[in-house]
Amino acid sequence: MERLSHWIDGKAVDGASEGVGPVFDPATGEQRREVPLGGAAEVEAAVAAAVGAFPGWAGTSLTRRTGILFAFRELLSRRKLELARLITAEHGKVLADALGEVERGLEVVEFACGIPHLLKGSFSEDVSTGVDAYSLRQPLGVMVGITPFNFPAMVPCWMFPIAIACGNTFVLKPSEKDPSASMLLASLWEEAGLPAGVFNVLHGSRVAVEALLVHPDVAAVSFVGSTPVARAVYARATSAGKRTQALGGAKNHMVVLPDADPDAAAAAAVNAGYGSAGERCMAISAVVAVGGVGDALVDEVADRARALRVGPGEDPASEMGPLVTGAHRDRVAGFLDAASAEGASVVVDGRRDLPAGGGFWLRPSLLDRVRPGMSVYDEEIFGPVLSVVRTADLDEAIALVNANPYGNGTAIFTSSGAAARRFQHEVQVGMIGINVPIPVPMAYYSFGGWKQSLFGDTHVHGMEGVHFATRAKAVTARWTGASVGGGSLAFPTNG
Ligand code: NAD
């Protein structure tokens, strides 16, 4: 059995103070690797390496830093199929999805390659006679990223390219369910010429995370995962004085108005509901059928869901792979019994006609006449289960979206600009799609939800990412005619 290592100070390091965890091939159900679970000793080593590397890296010129980022970008682009294969092997998603994930991560690396421009301060000449005012942004120190299983390459790439480009050093604590992608990313950084200790990978689970959150040498924490853990991470890290952003879970609604293109809406619901087996934080979980569209939409989505080819992610014919673990598959399947007991109708039952073998299989499921108060509506399922909720009109649909405690993504399908405009204005959600079911922002915008989908106020990547990874200085300088010690220095605008 292959045992993974941590990546600390530019080398593979063993250390399993908290034991080891299994890494499965979800398509066969077999354990393929074991991952060491770090504890206090491994956290100490990883943070010490990042502390040691910080002065040198922060003092490296922007030109040199950018050169290394470009080299990393080239290597990642060249090795993207290899990375995608690793993701498919441990997460289960089909190879096309895994490649898509790598591409989206690569876009953040490309954004970070523009760091000389992104870090430019501002300058005001002669704010007073002989006095200039300007601003600088400087790195924070050691930044930590704690990431979920569902995007083992993309979500870390939301964080570390910008953190490192800004001059910080980084400790990544990836999901223990699919940890291999982060090790390939570490080796690409090394090949790109990143100095040892700037990027470190520490494997582990709760114990490692909790030690990182309170470590005195950690300056900032970026977390992405489920809402209960995000809430706890945010509380603990902020009370330890860390700058923290904690992105949580989701329950994303797709509102379909009677004037929507019915084929486009059905295709979008199927792609966004079942793609990557529904294990996306931007997956559509609830389709809101407005007015009379429900019956036809349910029929069309049901036909398409039944026709989806479910199989191993490496098979090019597969459109949906297995779920990440057996325990997660069983939890998702459990929602189907609960839904029918609570009065929803099970239109397509994904527990039938499963592929042979011991993989963590579940086919797409479709539920109709779902309502708030049912567990299938109230809880994040994070699997291939789409619920249809019916509303009389757009008012009711908007009220439904806004009453939900999550606010990650949402979409509206309509041919009315006025309805779309009203929707984007009134919904209390961070990311909105108009005839786009999964509105993941481009790297140069920022990703993040509202309400219980984000603890903290800063979204990831884009300019919010640059701000999160730096702190500002404002300088007021007098070089000519200065009368040092004069009282007017403190308030130079009067002259
Ligand atoms: P998770 O919350 O179980 O784990 C996330 C990370 O936290 C992992 O690295 C894990 O090791 C660690 N962790 C788990 N339990 C912990 C604990 N008690 N204390 C400290 N650390 C702990 O999430 P997951 O199952 O890996 O990922 C799926 C979840 O992530 C879903 O809820 C999904 O919506 C969410 N997600 C959100 C976004 C977003 O952008 N908002 C993006 C991707 C995934």
Side-chain angles (χ1 to χ4, degrees), residues 146-151 155 158 173-177 204-206 209-210 223-227 229 233 247-250 280-281 380 382 408 447 453:
I146 301 154
T147 53
F149 79 84
N150 66 320
F151 286 108
V155 170
W158 285 352
K173 205 306 284 173
S175 170
E176 63 277 35
K177 293 185 182 127
S205 55
R206 181 179 187 154
V209 170
E210 290 182 348
F223 172 90
V224 176
S226 59
T227 286
V229 182
V233 162
L247 283 68
R280 291 174 176 150
C281 62
E380 182 182 31
F382 219 58
N408 213 41
F447 183 109
S453 297

Side-chain angles (χ1 to χ4, degrees), residues 164-477:
I164 289 174
C166 289
N168 300 284
T169 55
F170 201 86
V171 177
L172 171 64
K173 205 306 284 173
S175 170
E176 63 277 35
K177 293 185 182 127
D178 45 13
S180 294
S182 56
M183 297 306 284
L184 179 53
L185 292 168
S187 75
L188 299 184
W189 272 126
E190 185 190 36
E191 207 178 328
L194 191 72
V198 177
F199 179 73
N200 306 278
V201 179
L202 172 78
H203 298 294
S205 55
R206 181 179 187 154
V207 172
V209 170
E210 290 182 348
L212 285 167
L213 300 181
V214 297
H215 195 293
D217 292 331
V218 167
V221 174
S222 296
F223 172 90
V224 176
S226 59
T227 286
V229 182
R231 185 188 286 114
V233 162
Y234 185 76
R236 203 173 176 113
T238 51
S239 65
K242 316 299 180 199
R243 182 181 290 205
T244 308
Q245 54 184 179
L247 283 68
K251 192 82 189 178
N252 305 314
H253 296 69
M254 174 177 145
V255 174
V256 182
L257 296 190
D259 61 8
D261 174 340
D263 284 341
V270 169
N271 288 336
Y274 305 125
S276 207
E279 293 169 329
R280 291 174 176 150
C281 62
M282 291 291 275
I284 293 298
S285 180
V287 174
V288 185
V290 178
V293 302
D295 290 347
L297 189 63
V298 166
D299 288 349
E300 187 60 35
V301 171
D303 286 348
R304 289 171 186 258
R306 287 189 194 100
L308 272 183
R309 290 188 299 270
V310 176
E314 273 283 350
D315 181 346
S318 301
E319 295 170 297
M320 192 185 109
L323 275 73
V324 68
T325 59
H328 185 54
R329 185 264 324 272
D330 294 346
R331 178 180 178 276
V332 173
F335 278 102
L336 300 172
D337 283 333
S340 56
E342 289 167 353
S345 59
V346 181
V347 181
V348 181
D349 188 333
R351 293 170 294 189
R352 298 194 184 132
D353 306 323
L354 298 177
F360 308 137
W361 301 111
L362 196 61
R363 291 186 55 81
S365 296
L366 181 64
L367 307 174
D368 193 11
R369 306 211 176 266
V370 171
R371 291 185 311 275
M374 296 178 175
S375 57
V376 74
Y377 181 82
D378 291 349
E379 291 181 37
E380 182 182 31
I381 300 173
F382 219 58
V385 178
L386 255 186
S387 298
V388 176
V389 185
R390 295 167 182 242
T391 68
D393 51 29
L394 180 58
D395 290 350
E396 204 186 320
I398 291 174
L400 181 81
V401 173
N402 286 347
N404 198 280
Y406 295 104
N408 213 41
T410 187
I412 187 167
F413 276 69
T414 179
S415 55
S416 160
R421 198 163 175 277
R422 184 179 157 214
F423 184 77
Q424 77 177 27
H425 183 69
E426 292 184 18
V427 284
Q428 292 161 19
V429 174
M431 294 168 283
I432 294 160
I434 296 171
N435 297 316
V436 171
I438 301 199
V440 174
M442 299 304 291
Y444 35 91
Y445 287 85
S446 298
F447 183 109
W450 285 19
K451 301 198 283 188
Q452 291 191 24
S453 297
L454 174 73
F455 299 87
D457 61 358
T458 311
H459 294 191
V460 288
H461 66 67
M463 287 314 292
E464 291 195 47
V466 175
H467 277 239
F468 186 76
T470 52
R471 49 189 174 170
K473 276 181 178 161
V475 183
T476 308

